[in-house]
Amino acid sequence: MKYSLIKDLLLFVILCTVQVLVLSHIRLFGFATPLFYVYFILLFRRNYPRWGILLWSFAIGIVIDSFANTPGVAAASMTAVGMMQPMVLELFMQRESAENLKPSIRSMGFAYYLLYSLILILTYCILFFTLETFTFFNWLQWLESIGGCFLFTLILVLVLESVKHAKN
């Protein structure tokens, strides 16, 4: 149990550091920034305590908010996606799978993992940019931001998962 907590804490620190120091400064086509810290939510195993998922989600959101100057936007969006994660995971897991199975390309298969991550990342991007703009006055920029960040983040997640899958 302690090893798992230390591993989660280390991943938390790494994802926050990479996001704040590197990825937040990338603006592909002027609007697409990878929001790679969402990957942390995708990794929660089946039957992980909901209060734990919500606590971790809020914590990573509040850390990102403090460095990105988006007061409460990432925290609210991450907490909402953290609340959805167990339900979305159950949609794509087989009933016979282990109770503490960790979602990955290897455990779920590529198609199911793609759909699982697609739903959670798209939901996060929609919530994040809707709360950030808080208006639909410039809806084209809103759609560009959602689409660009969603695709960039999804590609990064799938590349990392594929590398992890090939390594094992």
Side-chain angles (χ1 to χ4, degrees):
M1 185 68 177
K2 290 180 183 179
Y3 176 71
S4 165
L5 181 64
I6 291 171
K7 193 172 152 185
D8 288 346
L9 192 58
L10 184 63
L11 181 64
F12 179 91
V13 170
I14 289 170
L15 285 176
C16 286
T17 304
V18 167
Q19 182 67 42
V20 168
L21 295 179
V22 178
L23 298 177
S24 291
H25 301 288
I26 296 174
R27 293 259 185 232
L28 193 62
F29 304 118
F31 56 83
T33 300
L35 305 172
F36 192 60
Y37 52 92
V38 177
Y39 181 64
F40 191 76
I41 301 298
L42 299 174
L43 294 177
F44 286 114
R45 63 179 161 67
R46 188 178 192 183
N47 292 332
Y48 196 88
R50 281 201 184 195
W51 64 268
I53 295 173
L54 291 176
L55 189 64
W56 280 110
S57 302
F58 180 76
I60 199 165
I62 207 73
V63 167
I64 296 299
D65 278 337
S66 346
F67 290 103
N69 198 21
T70 53
V73 174
S77 304
M78 286 295 283
T79 305
V81 171
M83 184 66 138
M84 288 177 52
Q85 189 267 351
M87 294 175 277
V88 174
L89 181 60
E90 284 300 317
L91 289 174
F92 299 107
M93 290 295 233
Q94 297 176 359
R95 292 182 188 206
E96 303 85 35
S97 54
E99 289 297 315
N100 61 351
L101 190 66
K102 197 166 197 170
S104 68
I105 288 178
R106 173 171 278 183
S107 65
M108 297 173 71
F110 183 78
Y112 284 149
Y113 188 80
L114 175 66
L115 288 172
Y116 165 71
S117 54
L118 187 140
I119 290 170
L120 290 178
I121 293 171
L122 183 61
T123 303
Y124 178 76
C125 289
I126 290 171
L127 286 171
F128 182 85
F129 289 107
T130 302
L131 289 173
E132 186 182 46
T133 55
F134 211 67
T135 180
F136 293 109
F137 180 71
N138 195 353
W139 61 272
L140 192 56
Q141 181 184 7
W142 176 74
L143 286 175
E144 287 174 342
S145 297
I146 290 172
C149 291
F150 162 70
L151 284 175
F152 206 170
T153 305
L154 183 66
I155 289 169
L156 279 176
V157 166
L158 292 177
V159 165
L160 182 66
E161 273 298 315
S162 297
V163 168
K164 278 176 40 180
H165 178 68
K167 198 166 113 177
N168 291 332

